[in-house]
Amino acid sequence: MEQKNDNEDKKVKKWLIILALLYVLVISLKCIFGSWWNIVLLILILCTTIWCYKRKKNLQTHKRGTFLIIFFSLLLAWKVIPCAWHTHLTIVEETPEDQKQRELEEEAALKKFGEEHKTAQDEPDALAAKREAEEKNKPQSKPEPKPERPVYNFKEDKDCSDFSNSTEATAFMKASKTAGFGDHRLDYNHDGIACN
């Protein structure tokens, strides 16, 4: 029975350690990829490790490479550890006051966004109303009177010399035909155009 409990305790501890390491890894990766300087250091560490591995494989000395790896790792740790600690504190130590403050800030941001959105919607309406008011206040231009048709006396016999041009003679001829008075012999060649 005790052995079973010991085995279960070991499994629980093992999983807790794995979860803690994953948590540290995720926070560290967030800090590493949050800065270009940290990314460059990580690339330098990887390149130096590959270089050392190839030299060791060829039975050459790799002490200088090992020294560089340790140096770059210390620089990276110097940058990442404070960032990871600050991130951890931010995640873990959020107090109820911080939560309320964050909620108030979110509400204020939403309210500001709503006001800006409403203002943006009201602006076109205000401009349209202003234009409408300006159009109403403009003095109304009187419509140009339509040219009146000339009043013809169809009973009077007309000749081409009585008209100033062929268009006027054609209009008279068509109106006379419509009224039932004939074409007054204005269309000599019977093409529908008078006095051409």
Side-chain angles (χ1 to χ4, degrees):
M1 187 78 173
E2 286 180 19
Q3 277 187 338
K4 195 174 184 182
N5 288 339
D6 286 341
N7 286 341
E8 286 180 9
D9 287 344
K10 285 180 183 178
K11 283 183 181 179
V12 168
K13 286 178 183 176
K14 181 181 170 183
W15 282 109
L16 285 175
I17 290 169
I18 291 171
L19 287 174
L21 289 174
L22 282 174
Y23 177 73
V24 170
L25 179 68
V26 167
I27 290 177
S28 299
L29 286 176
K30 182 181 175 187
C31 290
I32 288 171
F33 291 107
S35 166
W36 284 104
W37 173 249
N38 295 342
I39 294 172
V40 169
L41 283 174
L42 183 65
I43 291 170
L44 286 172
I45 291 170
L46 293 174
C47 290
T48 311
T49 304
I50 293 168
W51 179 68
C52 284
Y53 175 74
K54 286 185 178 182
R55 286 186 66 85
K56 185 177 179 183
K57 201 173 181 182
N58 295 334
L59 301 174
Q60 296 174 345
T61 180
H62 56 276
K63 290 180 182 177
R64 211 177 297 156
T66 307
F67 173 74
L68 283 174
I69 290 171
I70 292 169
F71 178 70
F72 291 142
S73 298
L74 288 173
L75 276 176
L76 186 64
W78 180 62
K79 290 289 213 172
V80 170
I81 289 173
C83 173
W85 181 250
H86 179 71
T87 305
H88 169 70
L89 289 179
T90 304
I91 292 170
V92 173
E93 293 183 358
E94 188 174 30
T95 62
E97 291 83 19
D98 293 337
Q99 287 178 349
K100 285 179 184 176
Q101 181 64 29
R102 187 170 40 84
E103 288 171 5
L104 289 173
E105 287 172 0
E106 288 173 0
E107 285 176 16
L110 284 173
K111 188 177 180 182
K112 185 178 179 183
F113 175 75
E115 289 172 359
E116 288 174 357
H117 184 68
K118 187 178 178 184
T119 305
Q121 283 182 340
D122 291 345
E123 248 177 54
D125 296 339
L127 287 173
K130 186 178 178 182
R131 282 191 204 124
E132 230 177 80
E134 285 175 359
E135 286 176 10
K136 285 180 183 177
N137 292 338
K138 276 185 186 176
Q140 295 289 334
S141 57
K142 294 180 182 177
E144 293 181 14
K146 292 180 182 176
E148 294 181 14
R149 284 189 168 187
V151 179
Y152 298 116
N153 185 1
F154 299 117
K155 293 178 184 177
E156 226 180 88
D157 191 28
K158 297 274 187 180
D159 293 326
C160 286
S161 59
D162 296 329
F163 303 101
S164 58
N165 57 32
S166 174
T167 307
E168 190 179 329
T170 303
F172 171 79
M173 180 186 73
K174 288 180 179 179
S176 176
K177 279 183 177 181
T178 305
F181 289 98
D183 64 357
H184 291 268
R185 297 174 311 283
L186 297 173
D187 187 7
Y188 295 111
N189 55 4
H190 305 288
D191 65 350
I193 299 172
C195 301
N196 56 345

